[in-house]
Amino acid sequence: MKLNQILSIVNQVEKAKFISTLDRLCSDAAKNNNKLAQTIDNIDGQIKNASGSEITQLFSTVKEFFKTSIKEQILMGSAQLNLLLNILSRDGNGVARIVWIESLYAREWEDIEGLSKELKEAIQLGSKEVSFNRNHTLKIYHSCMKEAYFNDQKNNRDAKITDDERSILNVLANELNLTTDECAAIEHLVDPIPKSEVLDALNSLRDMGILFISKKRQEVFIPDEIVAVLNEIQGKDLADKYVLRILRTLTDAELSNVLKAHGRKIRGVSRADKIQTIIHSGLGAEKLLFEDMHSIDDALNQKKERLKQLIQDLEIEVEKLGATLDERISLILQSLAGATEKEFDSLSASGFKQLLNTLEKHFPDIQNLLKSSFELETNEVIDTEKLRALSITPHDILYLLSNDEVKEVRDNMGLPKRGNTRFVILESFANATEKLIENYDVLARRDVNKLKEVGADVSESDIGVKFEEVTKAIFETLELNVDEDLRKDLNTAKDKADIVVSLGDNDIIIGEAKTCKNGDFAKYSTTSRQVKAYVTRAENQGKRVAQVLIIAPSFSDDFIESAEMDTEVNISLLEAHGLKLIFDAYKSKRNPSFAPKLLTKGGLLKAELIAKNI
């Protein structure tokens, strides 16, 4: 979840530690940054009074200062903090209940404890061996870890590993081909990690400004922006979900090469277990691509050709392929690291929801697969809103399925067998949404027969929901911020707004999408009661409703007059064919620009004039 979204959820007390951290960093940075100093002056020098968007902008400006600050604090902290940060920064754990974080911590602790005992035996064997083998390698790293940790006691200081010592240990681990989980387990032998007191550790991380804790929800929030900083500190060049994509494209022999490079077992190990072992080991993607996946006797040109094929398999669009191995690796890493926003944009909210529903139909175990892969609570129902909050894209979901499983889904859907299987599936949902947008006015008028004629098969009972979803898809194309998290937060079992558009700060537009089978939409009294309830609830939560926007196929004269005369709430009306006209005008422009204020004029909006102003 983005920082701006989290700031809109937590209260002033719950964001106080983060604001204090940001305030201190801004004060230091502003001394040498005139632009930042001016930004702080614009909010009267009081960051605690800044809006969510202003705070997000300030954080972006001082991100490097923040990174340096928390890196120092983490190094001075305990091994427990490092274990907890490793859990919180993993895919799917950015928003979680405290009790669930505690259960994940207990599971992780048991894994490290078990691996530590296994490595301890290997280290003891290494002490008796002269040859340079895996056991001897583990012994060397263990000896260096002990020296780095305990050498402070010689000078009557507390035992700890300094920044310089950590850097040297990281280089040593890399040269010895040790994995992240092995390093953590060996450190656990030297500096045992506490098994409990997780809440105290979470509070320590909150005090550093790393995360937010909501007492009301009993939830922990760690923003995507801070997760990215933590990944940099931990030396992660790619999130696990992107490493998984790479592994899915590798052959069984290449997966075995990776495991052999780190002394792991390969005989009798299934493909799925190989992938799981590599993911859990925390291997760096760069080293995996440069060395581990290749056979020992592969020539440089063979490696370059293999990466060229990998780029094609991952459907990475490139202007220039790159001449060297390093350039091709960099291209893969950069493309995947910045893929999230692009992947969400490639499929509308409606298309995403359809994809998940279809996968649940053709692959009934998808919910359990999502929960196990992204460490989500077992009793939680996973929907697309939750997935968006966790930055889990449609592409991420399809890459959870094995190559054989995703082919089975494709075949069950009756899709073509040519091309990348996952992208064929994604394209089918993108096309389905485009077809409904193309026939948006027909959908608004609930013309089932006409929809069937154009190949958009929608049941009568689903039309209302589809119209709402397609309206959101159009708004997203117009680059409006359709805020599903805020809508979910504002809605109750009784009052459920269709659409919430965030305009920045605390300003929002509340949208209602109404279908009508025969004639004009004329139910003003019912509709006005609905929207006024939504407005009241939003204002009670500190939001300012700039406008209520009602979209329908057409409106009766009485409806239009009543909306214009209503003094309690500002209402704009937009006909479905008018919104489609605006959409078409936006898509036809090379550099389109659509201002949300065009929807806040009140009364029946003139779509033709709005389209001309794009």
Side-chain angles (χ1 to χ4, degrees):
M1 188 178 286
K2 297 295 184 185
L3 175 59
N4 198 14
Q5 293 173 293
I6 294 173
L7 292 171
S8 69
I9 294 173
V10 296
N11 61 36
Q12 200 64 37
V13 174
E14 292 162 351
K15 67 176 78 166
K17 296 294 183 181
F18 176 78
I19 297 296
S20 296
T21 299
L22 193 61
D23 194 3
R24 174 174 53 80
L25 293 174
C26 284
S27 297
D28 293 339
K31 296 172 184 176
N32 301 306
N33 188 320
N34 294 331
K35 184 178 179 182
L36 177 61
Q38 182 60 49
T39 304
I40 296 173
D41 287 341
N42 291 341
I43 54 175
D44 301 324
Q46 295 292 320
I47 295 178
K48 65 180 180 181
N49 296 328
S51 65
S53 58
E54 287 172 329
I55 290 173
T56 302
Q57 183 181 352
L58 288 171
F59 175 81
S60 178
T61 305
V62 298
K63 188 176 77 170
E64 288 305 313
F65 290 86
F66 179 83
K67 177 182 173 181
T68 302
S69 174
I70 64 171
K71 183 178 181 180
E72 291 172 355
Q73 293 180 75
I74 291 169
L75 286 169
M76 291 172 61
S78 63
Q80 182 181 38
L81 291 185
N82 283 285
L83 175 58
L84 201 51
L85 284 173
N86 183 45
I87 294 169
L88 291 167
S89 61
R90 288 205 294 257
D91 305 318
N93 292 340
V95 181
R97 292 197 306 145
I98 293 173
V99 292
W100 181 244
I101 293 296
E102 289 174 332
S103 69
L104 291 177
Y105 180 91
R107 185 196 306 171
E108 192 85 359
W109 190 93
E110 292 292 343
D111 288 344
I112 287 182
E113 177 74 2
L115 184 57
S116 292
K117 291 178 180 178
E118 179 185 323
L119 296 184
K120 185 176 181 180
E121 294 177 5
I123 289 166
Q124 290 170 344
L125 288 172
S127 300
K128 303 173 185 177
E129 296 172 352
V130 179
S131 61
F132 193 81
N133 55 23
R134 176 173 163 75
N135 293 342
H136 199 169
T137 296
L138 294 170
K139 174 186 174 294
I140 291 170
Y141 186 79
H142 178 251
S143 299
C144 293
M145 176 68 72
K146 283 176 64 178
E147 180 63 23
Y149 184 73
F150 289 113
N151 63 6
D152 295 291
Q153 292 180 344
K154 297 174 185 177
N155 297 316
N156 201 27
R157 294 193 299 247
D158 290 336
K160 67 176 183 179
I161 298 175
T162 65
D163 190 7
D164 289 341
E165 289 167 341
R166 178 71 65 184
S167 297
I168 294 170
L169 286 170
N170 288 342
V171 172
L172 180 63
N174 185 58
E175 292 299 320
L176 295 176
N177 253 355
L178 297 181
T179 59
T180 302
D181 60 338
E182 288 173 331
C183 293
I186 292 173
E187 186 166 355
H188 180 55
L189 289 173
V190 176
D191 180 20
I193 302 169
K195 192 174 182 179
S196 57
E197 301 175 356
V198 179
L199 184 56
D200 289 341
L202 285 172
N203 285 327
S204 296
L205 294 175
R206 181 203 58 191
D207 292 344
M208 294 180 197
I210 292 175
L211 54 79
F212 301 83
I213 299 176
S214 170
K215 289 188 177 180
K216 179 182 177 182
R217 295 170 174 243
Q218 284 293 291
E219 281 185 320
V220 176
F221 300 92
I222 181 163
D224 294 344
E225 294 91 334
I226 293 180
V227 169
V229 171
L230 292 174
N231 285 339
E232 290 176 21
I233 292 173
Q234 294 168 344
K236 269 191 177 183
D237 41 21
L238 277 183
D240 289 346
K241 64 180 184 179
Y242 296 124
V243 177
L244 175 64
R245 294 190 193 184
I246 294 172
L247 297 177
R248 289 284 192 217
T249 64
L250 301 187
T251 65
D252 284 345
E254 288 168 336
L255 293 174
S256 294
N257 287 340
V258 177
L259 293 173
K260 281 190 292 185
H262 297 278
R264 297 299 178 95
K265 178 183 175 184
I266 60 171
R267 290 187 179 277
V269 181
S270 68
R271 177 180 175 85
D273 286 341
K274 287 177 183 177
I275 290 174
Q276 188 60 34
T277 300
I278 295 169
I279 286 287
H280 193 73
S281 297
L283 297 178
E286 184 176 6
K287 190 171 186 299
L288 186 148
L289 293 169
F290 188 87
E291 184 177 341
D292 293 347
M293 64 178 275
H294 306 285
S295 296
I296 297 174
D297 54 353
D298 281 351
L300 180 60
N301 283 337
Q302 288 177 289
K303 292 182 180 181
K304 286 165 58 178
E305 281 301 309
R306 181 63 186 96
L307 289 187
K308 177 183 177 180
Q309 182 60 48
L310 184 61
I311 290 168
Q312 294 173 356
D313 292 340
L314 292 168
E315 296 280 342
I316 294 174
E317 297 179 4
V318 294
E319 293 182 5
K320 187 178 179 182
L321 185 59
T324 68
L325 190 64
D326 285 335
E327 286 174 349
R328 293 183 182 182
I329 290 172
S330 178
L331 192 152
I332 293 172
L333 297 182
Q334 289 177 15
S335 176
L336 291 177
T340 298
E341 293 301 325
K342 182 180 178 181
E343 289 174 4
F344 275 131
D345 291 343
S346 68
L347 206 60
S348 67
S350 170
F352 193 3
K353 190 174 289 187
Q354 285 179 289
L355 170 65
L356 186 59
N357 290 340
T358 300
L359 288 176
E360 288 174 341
K361 176 183 175 182
H362 295 295
F363 193 84
D365 202 40
I366 192 66
Q367 285 273 340
N368 291 331
L369 183 61
L370 281 166
K371 291 171 185 176
S372 62
S373 300
F374 291 108
E375 299 183 328
L376 307 177
E377 290 197 57
T378 52
N379 60 351
E380 189 172 14
V381 177
I382 308 302
D383 57 20
T384 54
E385 293 175 6
K386 176 70 174 178
L387 294 172
R388 278 181 176 273
L390 297 173
S391 297
I392 299 172
T393 72
H395 297 64
D396 295 333
I397 297 173
L398 287 177
Y399 273 100
L400 294 181
L401 303 179
S402 70
N403 296 340
D404 290 336
E405 288 168 340
V406 83
K407 286 176 183 177
E408 185 179 341
V409 171
R410 177 202 62 192
D411 294 343
N412 289 340
M413 292 175 65
L415 298 175
K417 295 186 177 182
R418 294 182 63 183
N420 182 300
T421 306
R422 292 177 176 85
F423 284 85
V424 168
I425 293 173
L426 290 166
E427 188 66 28
S428 72
F429 289 100
N431 291 340
T433 301
E434 287 172 6
K435 196 168 286 185
L436 288 174
I437 291 175
E438 191 61 36
N439 296 276
Y440 185 63
D441 192 38
V442 177
L443 183 66
R445 296 190 180 281
R446 306 184 70 87
D447 192 337
V448 178
N449 293 330
K450 182 66 175 176
L451 289 171
K452 286 182 179 179
E453 286 177 17
V454 298
D457 194 1
V458 183
S459 67
E460 174 76 23
S461 60
D462 289 339
I463 283 182
V465 173
K466 288 294 181 189
F467 185 63
E468 177 188 320
E469 291 176 353
V470 174
T471 303
K472 290 176 186 176
I474 292 174
F475 282 174
E476 288 173 343
T477 302
L478 296 174
E479 296 190 27
L480 298 178
N481 181 12
V482 179
D483 199 332
E484 286 296 288
D485 297 307
L486 179 56
R487 184 180 74 90
K488 193 173 183 180
D489 197 46
L490 292 176
N491 283 355
T492 65
K494 181 181 178 183
D495 300 321
K496 293 184 178 180
D498 292 341
I499 303 165
V500 174
V501 174
S502 288
L503 301 178
D505 300 336
N506 288 313
D507 291 354
I508 62 173
I509 292 175
I510 292 178
E512 279 295 293
K514 301 293 186 183
T515 58
C516 184
K517 193 166 189 176
N518 297 309
D520 301 323
F521 190 68
K523 301 176 181 178
Y524 187 77
S525 59
T526 303
T527 305
S528 64
R529 281 198 300 272
Q530 280 182 317
V531 298
K532 286 171 185 175
Y534 306 153
V535 170
T536 299
R537 179 160 178 78
E539 289 177 344
N540 286 341
Q541 294 198 28
K543 305 299 178 184
R544 192 183 80 83
V545 181
Q547 198 76 16
V548 169
L549 176 65
I550 301 173
I551 303 104
S554 59
F555 300 92
S556 68
D557 291 340
D558 286 344
F559 194 103
I560 296 170
E561 184 178 344
S562 297
E564 290 175 344
M565 297 298 291
D566 201 319
T567 57
E568 294 182 45
V569 64
N570 298 322
I571 296 179
S572 293
L573 309 177
L574 183 57
E575 294 176 337
H577 71 86
L579 181 54
K580 178 61 166 53
L581 183 68
I582 294 168
F583 172 85
D584 290 339
Y586 186 90
K587 293 284 284 184
S588 68
K589 300 292 171 103
R590 178 174 295 179
N591 296 304
S593 177
F594 181 80
K597 288 184 179 179
L598 293 170
L599 302 176
T600 64
K601 301 298 182 183
L604 183 62
L605 299 176
K606 296 179 180 179
E608 295 82 0
L609 291 177
I610 294 175
K612 287 180 181 179
N613 280 305
I614 290 176

